[in-house]
C-alpha cells in the first residue's frame, strides 16, 4: 500500500518575539509538550485509521534521552508500546557541537552535505563514525532489559523527540526504522525549524510539528524548564508504559 508524504503542522508561533531575551517559552516543560503533542498525534491516528480496513498497530519510539518524556504521553494516549531508537551525531573532535552526520546503534549512517566540503582524510570520518556508533550502542545497552520485544514490521512507527535542531539524528532514525518494513513512519515533535519541513517530510510518511518558530534558536529556548534527562528517567518511562499496558 502506497502512502503519500503529508506534513501536518498544528500551528505556528504567532506570539514568538524575535528578541531572545524577552520571548515567552512555547512549553512549560517536556511533560506539557508531550501532552499537547499526544492530542495532535491521537487525532491524526484516528483520521489515518478511517482510511484503512482495520486499525493500524502503532509503536512509539522515543529518541533518548529527551524524547522519552515527550513520547510517554503519546504512547499512553494510543495505548501502545513505547520503545527507544538510539542515534548519535557524528562530530569532528575539534568541533564537538558541529554535526557532520549521524549514526544509529545498528550502524545506519546519514552524512550531512558539509562532509563533502571538508578537506580531511577519510580515516577521520571513519573514526568519528565509530566513536558515535559506540556511544549509541552503549546507550542502547542501558535500556535493553526494559525495552518491549516488538517488531515494527507492518506497524505505524512514530518517532518522537523533544525538538529538532539540525534533524540529523531523527532523520537517520527514520531511515533505520524504514528498513524494518513498518506500514508507515511518522516524525512527531513539539518544535522544529520551518526550513526543515521539506527535508523531514522526505524521510517519513507524515510529520506532526506543533510549532515552527522563526527565527529558531536552540530547542531548549522554547521550554521554560529543560533539565537534562537522566538514564533513570528513560528507564522509568519504558517501565511505566509496560506496567500501564499490563493493567
Amino acid at each position: 500500500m502506497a502512502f503519500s508524504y503529508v506534513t501536518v503542522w498544528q500551528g505556528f508561533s504567532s506570539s514568538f518575539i524575535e528578541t531572545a531575551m524577552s520571548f515567552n517559552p512555547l512549553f512549560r516543560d517536556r511533560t506539557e509538550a508531550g501532552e499537547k503533542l499526544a492530542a495532535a498525534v491521537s487525532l491524526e491516528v484516528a483520521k489515518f485509521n478511517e482510511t484503512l480496513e482495520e486499525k493500524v498497530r502503532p509503536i512509539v519510539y522515543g529518541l533518548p534521552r529527551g524524547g522519552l518524556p515527550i513520547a510517554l504521553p503519546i504512547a499512553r494516549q494510543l495505548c501502545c508500546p513505547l520503545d527507544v531508537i538510539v542515534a548519535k551525531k557524528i562530530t569532528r573532535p575539534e568541533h564537538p557541537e558541529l554535526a557532520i552526520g549521524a549514526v544509529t546503534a545498528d550502524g545506519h549512517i546519514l552524512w550531512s552535505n558539509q562532509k563533502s566540503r571538508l578537506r580531511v582524510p577519510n580515516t577521520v570520518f571513519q573514526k568519528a563514525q565509530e566513536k558515535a556508533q559506540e556511544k549509541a550502542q552503549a546507550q542502547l545497552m542501558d535500556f535493553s532489559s526494559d525495552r518491549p520485544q516488538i517488531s515494527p514490521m507492518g506497524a505505524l512507527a512514530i518517532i518522537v523527540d523533544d525538538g529538532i535542531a539540525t534533524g540529523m539524528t531523527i532523520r537517520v532514525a527514520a531511515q533505520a526504522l524504514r528498513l524494518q518494513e513498518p506500514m508507515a513512519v511518522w516524525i512527531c515533535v513539539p518544535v522544529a525549524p520551518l526550513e526543515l519541513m521539506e527535508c523531514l517530510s522526505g524521510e517519513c510518511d507524515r510529520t506532526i510539528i506543533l510549532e515552527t518558530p522563526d527565527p529558531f534558536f536552540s530547542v531548549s529556548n522554547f521550554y521554560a524548564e529543560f533539565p537534562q534527562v537522566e538514564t533513570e528517567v528513560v528507564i522509568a518511562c519504558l517501565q511505566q508504559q509496560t506496567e500501564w499496558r499490563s493493567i
Side-chain angles (χ1 to χ4, degrees):
M1 181 177 182
F3 294 93
S4 60
Y5 293 118
V6 178
T7 299
V8 179
W9 301 333
Q10 288 303 122
F12 294 86
S13 180
S14 59
S15 62
F16 185 76
I17 301 176
E18 295 187 4
T19 304
M21 294 179 62
S22 61
F23 83 94
N24 294 320
L26 299 174
F27 308 103
R28 182 179 64 251
D29 52 23
R30 289 184 179 89
T31 298
E32 180 187 70
E35 291 171 350
K36 289 182 176 180
L37 187 57
V41 173
S42 179
L43 179 61
E44 290 302 316
V45 170
K47 292 179 181 178
F48 187 54
N49 278 328
E50 292 176 358
T51 67
L52 305 175
E53 294 182 359
E54 59 183 65
K55 289 185 177 180
V56 70
R57 176 173 60 91
I59 304 173
V60 176
Y61 292 87
L63 267 70
R65 294 179 296 225
L68 268 295
I70 305 286
L72 180 59
I74 299 174
R76 189 69 54 87
Q77 183 80 21
L78 298 178
C79 301
C80 72
L82 174 61
D83 201 354
V84 297
I85 180 166
V86 182
K88 292 293 182 183
K89 293 178 182 178
I90 302 173
T91 62
R92 293 177 61 183
E94 67 272 26
H95 296 292
E97 298 302 320
L98 177 63
I100 57 174
V103 61
T104 59
D106 59 0
H108 193 87
I109 307 166
L110 174 67
W111 294 105
S112 74
N113 294 332
Q114 296 180 17
K115 178 177 179 287
S116 60
R117 297 195 294 266
L118 296 175
R119 297 180 180 179
V120 296
N122 286 332
T123 54
V124 173
F125 294 125
Q126 182 66 28
K127 289 180 180 179
Q129 172 196 323
E130 292 173 354
K131 182 178 180 181
Q133 188 175 352
E134 287 173 0
K135 288 182 178 179
Q137 290 172 339
Q139 190 174 63
L140 188 62
M141 285 296 296
D142 290 338
F143 314 130
S144 59
S145 61
D146 298 288
R147 295 178 59 201
Q149 301 301 311
I150 189 166
S151 169
M153 181 178 290
L156 168 59
I158 301 173
I159 310 174
V160 178
D161 204 355
D162 52 17
I164 296 174
T166 66
M168 295 298 298
T169 53
I170 204 163
R171 287 175 59 202
V172 76
Q175 291 180 6
L177 272 177
R178 181 77 74 185
L179 296 177
Q180 299 184 55
E181 301 181 1
M183 171 185 284
V185 175
W186 291 9
I187 289 177
C188 305
V189 297
V191 61
L194 181 61
E195 61 265 24
L196 288 183
M197 293 302 100
E198 182 177 354
C199 176
L200 293 173
S201 64
E203 303 288 1
C204 63
D205 300 285
R206 187 166 303 186
T207 61
I208 301 177
I209 315 292
L210 297 183
E211 301 285 352
T212 56
D214 183 29
F216 192 96
F217 299 104
S218 66
V219 171
S220 62
N221 283 331
F222 301 109
Y223 289 81
E225 300 175 15
F226 198 74
Q228 180 175 329
V229 177
E230 303 296 338
T231 297
E232 292 75 16
V233 174
V234 176
I235 293 173
C237 288
L238 294 171
Q239 292 176 341
Q240 287 175 31
Q241 183 61 9
T242 298
E243 293 170 0
W244 185 82
R245 292 185 68 236
S246 65
I247 296 175

